[in-house]
Amino acid sequence: MTSELTRKKKPEELRSHRWYGAEDLRAFGHRSRTAQMGYDRSDYAGKPVIAIINTWSDINPCHTHFKQRVEEVKRGVWQAGGFPVEMPAMSLAEPMQKPTTMMYRNFLAMETEELLRSYPADGAVLMGGCDKTTPGLVMGATSMNLPAIYLPAGPMLTGHWRENTLGSGSDTWKYWAELRAGNITERDWKEIEDGIARSPGTCMTMGTAATMMSIAEALGLALPGASSIPAPDSNHAKMATLSGKRIVDMVWEDLKPRDFLTKESFDNAIVTLMAMGGSTNALIHLVAMAGRAGVKLPLERFNEFSARTPLLANVRPSGEKYLMEDFYYAGGLRALLSELKDLLHLQCRTVTGKTLGENLDGARIFNEEVIRTRANPLKASGGLVVLRGSLAPNGAVIKAAAASPKLLKHVGKAVVFEDYNDMAARIDRDDLEADADSVLVLRNAGPLGGPGMPEWGMLPVPKKLLKQGVRDMVRVSDARMSGTSYGTCVLHVAPESYVGGPLALVRSGDLIELDVEKRILNLKVDDSELSRRRAAWKAPPKKYARGYGAIFAQHVRQADEGCDFDFLEGTAPVPDPEIH
């Protein structure tokens, strides 16, 4: 616990003192209403008020344990001499919210920032984990820049069906394909449905949730080892209490997100992403998160680290076999990062007040099959790759570690779907003109076209090809895909087709060239023909005439820019509210 001698703030310098400490009519109201809730003045006077931003809700299965965890956070805050205040925020339930949680990430970021600004908060505990909650919470807290610590939800337990281990998402896609091919029965499918999600927590594959929780820890936003603990594990409850204790000290130390979210810490995050074989979604989120800290993160930076960072986490879908519960028992994120010290900026500060290097002291691998050593990587480099070319002048991304090696250099004829509904209507028709060498193209699935850039990028293999044994094809879209997905899927094509990017000009039968080694994605159509098509292209009608959708459409950036709202980017100061 921070001693009074090392505190950078006095009680009267706390932000909450403006609400509670004045001797005027308005402060009388604040204190009397706090008394109305059953608190004595001694409970909060001169103590840090800790806002616990809780993304629990009945509709979010990943966060069902947060109802209990928030009480454990409060216990830690009380024990450290703070005053905890729980503040619910939008839950962003990945499996349930439509058209996509990505449409509401910036909403959660705004809500987080404004909750912290408009109430008497001195520091914050950010309770998240399900995919977009992590970046949303971090973006909002970074913009507000009060002391903040992130509490990751943790992965769920491993799934099981009969003698088979099941992984979230990855086995959903796998067995759905087998059902469509006629290789499993409806009864099998129902049994898989009942066995794939067995506890609270996020997807236990290396999906977006596990990726972003790990990245948050690598950035220094969470306690060491916090991101790897399975949600039902008793150590998760202890971590929650320790996070509550630590944030009180952070307030007295005045340790804020932008004190340690630097260019170097974001480099550490990219190394972590590559070594874990993490979600492609992380590129969008990291660009947006860095922007809130005033750090420019061009896509080329990802290729720089991709070229020299080995894939060490043998966790599906980039890995061959294991899941996040195995990763935790093998030593977790600290063990993985301890293998990469020469690639990391170990001097970066963290929420502990110590450096990343100090936080890694004593970490080691307990199972070298789950977390590989540098001498025995799953892949020497290139787990995630940014592509450019005539089809993606502003960039696209592929998870090469989860793709078929034989397809990483490929030329094939496009089979174009105008939107998701067109794809769903035609993908299983016997007369679909597609073979194993075709390139499936989905457009109108980007930030504006989706809207919200849904996770549609892992297009299903046509049924007639599934029956022939085909399980992967080159697929290209301006959509995202779940971090639990796999296959040779080129994603985030920018600019998107909805705004007239080259993807809007592709026609069925056009040749598309993919060369991952050369970082190339080209449309093999001559310039004069493309000019004719561009002249004939018409912008689609707006999707929203009012409401949040209209705000989203007016202000969202493209994928290569992080999909933040233009008016939320950067570090321009916003004044605290006057209290009258």
Side-chain angles (χ1 to χ4, degrees):
M1 183 176 293
T2 301
S3 70
E4 292 189 17
L5 293 175
T6 59
R7 289 180 179 179
K8 292 184 177 180
K9 285 186 175 181
K10 299 176 182 179
E12 59 270 22
E13 294 173 329
L14 292 171
R15 187 172 176 273
S16 59
H17 183 80
R18 298 176 58 226
W19 275 261
Y20 284 125
E23 295 299 333
D24 59 18
L25 176 64
R26 193 58 62 200
F28 170 89
H30 300 152
R31 292 190 296 265
S32 66
R33 291 300 184 172
T34 303
Q36 180 184 5
M37 294 185 284
Y39 296 109
D40 183 73
R41 190 183 291 199
S42 64
D43 289 327
Y44 59 83
K47 298 179 179 180
V49 175
I50 304 302
I52 307 171
I53 309 298
N54 190 355
T55 53
W56 172 88
S57 79
D58 274 333
I59 199 65
N60 192 336
C62 304
H63 295 176
T64 53
H65 56 314
F66 274 2
K67 210 169 195 177
Q68 176 61 35
R69 291 293 178 269
V70 72
E71 300 304 319
E72 289 146 355
V73 174
K74 290 177 184 177
R75 182 174 71 207
V77 173
W78 284 118
Q79 289 174 352
F83 182 58
V85 179
E86 181 182 358
M87 294 183 178
M90 180 178 271
S91 196
L92 301 188
E94 188 69 30
M96 301 292 186
Q97 192 166 29
K98 308 300 178 186
T100 165
T101 54
M102 186 62 191
M103 190 163 175
Y104 298 98
R105 181 201 67 181
N106 298 343
F107 190 111
L108 174 61
M110 284 195 295
E111 185 177 18
T112 300
E113 180 178 353
E114 298 307 326
L115 279 171
L116 296 177
R117 176 173 292 112
S118 59
Y119 286 104
D122 297 305
V125 178
L126 311 171
M127 298 182 63
C130 188
D131 293 19
K132 315 309 179 294
T133 58
T134 300
L137 290 165
V138 170
M139 289 161 67
T142 302
S143 292
M144 185 57 200
N145 206 33
L146 292 179
I149 191 169
Y150 171 69
L151 191 158
M156 70 175 87
L157 298 178
T158 298
H160 290 283
W161 171 52
R162 301 175 185 171
E163 75 280 10
N164 303 292
T165 296
L166 295 177
S168 307
S170 300
D171 281 318
T172 302
W173 324 127
K174 172 184 173 180
Y175 287 109
W176 175 244
E178 296 307 318
L179 179 69
R180 291 168 61 231
N183 295 332
I184 64 170
T185 67
E186 288 288 347
R187 179 176 177 178
D188 296 334
W189 181 241
K190 177 61 169 61
E191 290 177 2
I192 293 167
E193 179 181 309
D194 289 338
I196 200 166
R198 298 173 45 243
S199 78
T202 67
C203 293
M204 79 308 253
T205 43
M206 189 59 72
T208 304
T211 300
M212 295 311 300
M213 290 188 292
S214 300
I215 281 174
E217 182 181 331
L219 283 168
L221 288 161
L223 293 178
S227 65
S228 307
I229 307 171
D233 195 294
S234 60
N235 287 304
H236 197 273
K238 290 191 285 185
M239 179 270 293
T241 298
L242 291 172
S243 297
K245 290 181 178 180
R246 178 58 194 152
I247 188 59
V248 176
D249 287 346
M250 288 175 66
V251 171
W252 291 124
E253 295 165 13
D254 200 29
L255 181 57
K256 304 179 293 296
R258 294 210 293 265
D259 294 335
F260 52 86
L261 292 181
T262 62
K263 176 180 177 293
E264 290 75 19
S265 64
F266 280 99
D267 284 349
N268 289 342
I270 298 173
V271 170
T272 303
L273 168 65
M274 298 300 171
M276 297 187 78
S279 170
T280 50
N281 289 316
L283 276 74
I284 295 175
H285 298 319
L286 277 170
V287 170
M289 291 159 66
R292 296 296 187 98
V295 175
K296 294 291 185 183
L297 199 60
L299 292 183
E300 281 70 24
R301 196 73 177 146
F302 292 90
N303 273 349
E304 290 174 23
F305 283 100
S306 174
R308 61 177 187 261
T309 305
L311 172 59
L312 301 183
N314 191 5
V315 178
R316 296 176 63 202
S318 292
E320 300 165 346
K321 181 178 180 181
Y322 297 102
L323 298 170
M324 287 303 294
E325 190 176 351
D326 306 301
F327 183 75
Y328 173 60
Y329 302 141
L333 183 65
R334 291 178 66 246
L336 180 136
L337 294 182
S338 70
E339 278 289 299
L340 299 163
K341 288 183 178 180
D342 59 305
L343 298 178
L344 297 168
H345 298 283
L346 297 174
Q347 78 283 4
C348 288
R349 298 175 67 193
T350 71
V351 292
T352 64
K354 299 178 181 179
T355 65
L356 176 64
E358 290 173 316
N359 289 346
L360 296 180
D361 284 347
R364 67 187 184 92
I365 299 171
F366 300 111
N367 185 332
E368 293 185 358
E369 183 58 29
V370 179
I371 302 175
R372 298 289 187 89
T373 63
R374 293 287 284 277
N376 184 33
L378 277 141
K379 188 175 172 64
S381 63
L384 292 178
V385 175
V386 173
L387 308 167
R388 291 190 188 270
S390 60
L391 189 52
N394 292 351
V397 64
I398 184 171
K399 186 189 286 190
S404 299
K406 67 179 182 179
L407 293 175
L408 295 178
K409 184 175 183 179
H410 183 81
V411 177
K413 291 183 178 180
V415 178
V416 178
F417 301 103
E418 284 298 322
D419 54 28
Y420 188 91
N421 290 330
D422 180 35
M423 183 275 294
R426 294 197 289 130
I427 196 70
D428 285 342
R429 289 178 53 161
D430 289 336
D431 61 353
L432 182 72
E433 293 186 9
D435 58 32
D437 293 325
S438 298
V439 176
L440 304 182
V441 175
L442 175 67
R443 54 185 171 219
N444 291 308
L448 291 169
M453 207 176 176
E455 293 182 340
W456 297 338
M458 185 184 172
L459 279 71
V461 174
K463 183 185 286 188
K464 70 176 187 179
L465 299 181
L466 285 174
K467 291 178 178 178
Q468 296 171 19
V470 177
R471 290 296 181 270
D472 193 14
M473 300 173 68
V474 175
R475 289 157 273 187
V476 177
S477 73
D478 46 14
R480 298 177 300 112
M481 77 175 183
S482 168
T484 68
S485 298
Y486 53 89
T488 312
C489 302
V490 178
L491 312 155
H492 310 181
V493 171
E496 64 173 306
S497 57
Y498 188 90
V499 299
L503 196 66
L505 310 180
V506 182
R507 294 181 180 175
S508 290
D510 289 347
L511 290 178
I512 291 176
E513 175 192 19
L514 169 66
D515 192 327
V516 173
E517 184 178 354
K518 293 182 178 179
R519 286 25 180 176
I520 286 174
L521 181 68
N522 282 328
L523 177 62
K524 308 286 278 186
V525 176
D526 65 62
D527 291 342
S528 59
E529 173 61 21
L530 286 178
S531 295
R532 283 192 291 273
R533 294 181 190 181
R534 188 171 288 108
W537 180 81
K538 294 181 180 179
K542 292 182 179 179
K543 292 180 179 287
Y544 295 97
R546 58 167 300 279
Y548 175 72
I551 295 172
F552 182 94
Q554 185 175 353
H555 295 287
V556 72
R557 297 289 199 186
Q558 286 291 290
D560 59 300
E561 301 169 304
C563 294
D564 202 356
F565 290 159
D566 51 16
F567 63 88
L568 294 176
E569 297 172 318
T571 58
V574 177
D576 259 356
E578 296 183 5
I579 299 176
H580 299 303

